Amino acid sequence: DNSYRIAEVQNDVEVTVYNGGIGLVKEIRETNLSHGINNVKFIDVPSLMDVTSLRIKDINNKAVVLEQNYDYDLISSEKLLEKYIDKNITLVLENGTIKGKLLSIPYTSYGQQYNVYYSAQNSFILQTDEGIMIINEPIKDIIFAGIPENLATKPTLSVSMDSKSAGKHDIEFDYLTGGMNWNANYVCVLNSEDKKMDMNGWITISNNAGTTYKNAKCGLCNNYGKCCGTAG
């Protein structure tokens, strides 16, 4: 089965945050696999993942990993145009539309050139039924048939797995990611005799890794290797 399986829901998530800006993440995701080769997409992974630290396994050893790829080529107007070279698009102009195969795009940023005139040396070139056409008119919109397979709307981990059995599988994967940190703050109040005090402490965790971890068990480690929580 060459279709993609989606492993989206995070289960049993553990995050250990180091105050050097790194997080160690362990999570389990459930997915349905058919017998044989399966292509699985793990979406909602952090954009700052250290791919070299990634470890993936089937908890029950009913499937093995054959190949893994981190898809970080995220969609944008420029990349979408580049991926549509030699494919059909529709240009919406002031007085109608033009359909054809995209042969060339302006060499400067589409976003900067939006809705302006192009010179003959810097224009969209289409292969239409009437022939090759250089577009020297203001372009209001561009219509694409869909999103190419090699573009992602969010960072995605694509994994090829060989499964011994069909059904539900629990897939565990661990990795390091940047964008995480923590710090501690304390407030102390002395009594009127300056002999006793009340102390409150707060831990603030920042997560700029590029994804969220719902209901995660959390541990903390400092630069001296002292840990508490999941890492303890």
Side-chain angles (χ1 to χ4, degrees):
D1 188 350
N2 292 323
S3 62
Y4 278 103
R5 313 286 181 174
I6 302 296
E8 182 176 10
V9 179
Q10 299 171 327
N11 296 314
D12 298 326
V13 183
E14 297 181 3
V15 180
T16 303
V17 183
Y18 297 81
N19 59 3
I22 296 175
L24 171 61
V25 181
K26 174 183 176 182
E27 57 178 287
I28 297 174
R29 299 200 188 187
E30 183 182 279
T31 186
N32 286 304
L33 299 180
S34 59
H35 181 269
I37 306 300
N38 294 260
N39 296 312
V40 184
K41 283 186 177 290
F42 296 87
I43 62 176
D44 288 328
V45 297
S47 56
L48 296 181
M49 175 192 290
D50 180 356
V51 184
T52 62
S53 69
L54 183 62
R55 183 180 69 96
I56 306 174
K57 69 174 184 178
D58 184 311
I59 289 181
N60 298 311
N61 295 317
K62 294 181 179 180
V64 295
V65 175
L66 302 178
E67 182 181 353
Q68 62 190 45
N69 294 287
Y70 182 54
D71 303 327
Y72 55 87
D73 198 7
L74 302 184
I75 191 169
S76 68
S77 56
E78 293 180 13
K79 289 183 179 179
L80 192 56
L81 283 167
E82 291 173 358
K83 299 295 184 182
Y84 261 83
I85 295 292
D86 291 328
K87 297 180 181 179
N88 291 326
I89 66 169
T90 300
L91 300 181
V92 181
L93 310 178
E94 293 287 348
N95 298 311
T97 62
I98 299 177
K99 297 181 180 180
K101 180 187 292 185
L102 182 62
L103 301 181
S104 178
I105 60 177
Y107 56 79
T108 53
S109 168
Y110 165 69
Q112 295 174 354
Q113 294 292 324
Y114 184 72
N115 214 20
V116 299
Y117 281 95
Y118 296 94
S119 67
Q121 293 78 29
N122 188 26
S123 304
F124 284 93
I125 302 177
L126 298 185
Q127 173 73 61
T128 68
D129 293 338
E130 291 76 23
I132 296 176
M133 183 176 294
I134 298 175
I135 311 300
N136 286 319
E137 297 183 41
I139 297 171
K140 296 179 63 179
D141 295 294
I142 302 175
I143 301 174
F144 302 90
I147 299 176
E149 290 185 1
N150 50 359
L151 276 184
T153 56
K154 59 181 67 176
T156 302
L157 183 64
S158 299
V159 181
S160 176
M161 306 189 75
D162 187 359
S163 176
K164 300 176 183 178
S165 62
K168 292 183 179 180
H169 290 248
D170 289 323
I171 310 300
E172 176 185 294
F173 65 111
D174 314 329
Y175 55 86
L176 294 172
T177 180
M180 290 189 175
N181 218 326
W182 70 273
N183 61 75
N185 297 282
Y186 303 93
V187 177
C188 298
V189 179
L190 289 171
N191 66 1
S192 58
E193 298 176 353
D194 293 339
K195 293 182 178 180
K196 296 181 179 181
M197 70 177 181
D198 290 329
M199 183 175 71
N200 292 323
W202 294 92
I203 298 293
T204 302
I205 300 174
S206 60
N207 175 19
N208 298 302
T211 191
T212 57
Y213 300 99
K214 296 180 180 180
N215 302 317
K217 299 177 182 178
C218 189
L220 305 173
C221 282
N222 62 21
N223 291 332
Y224 303 100
K226 299 294 184 180
C227 301
C228 63
T230 61

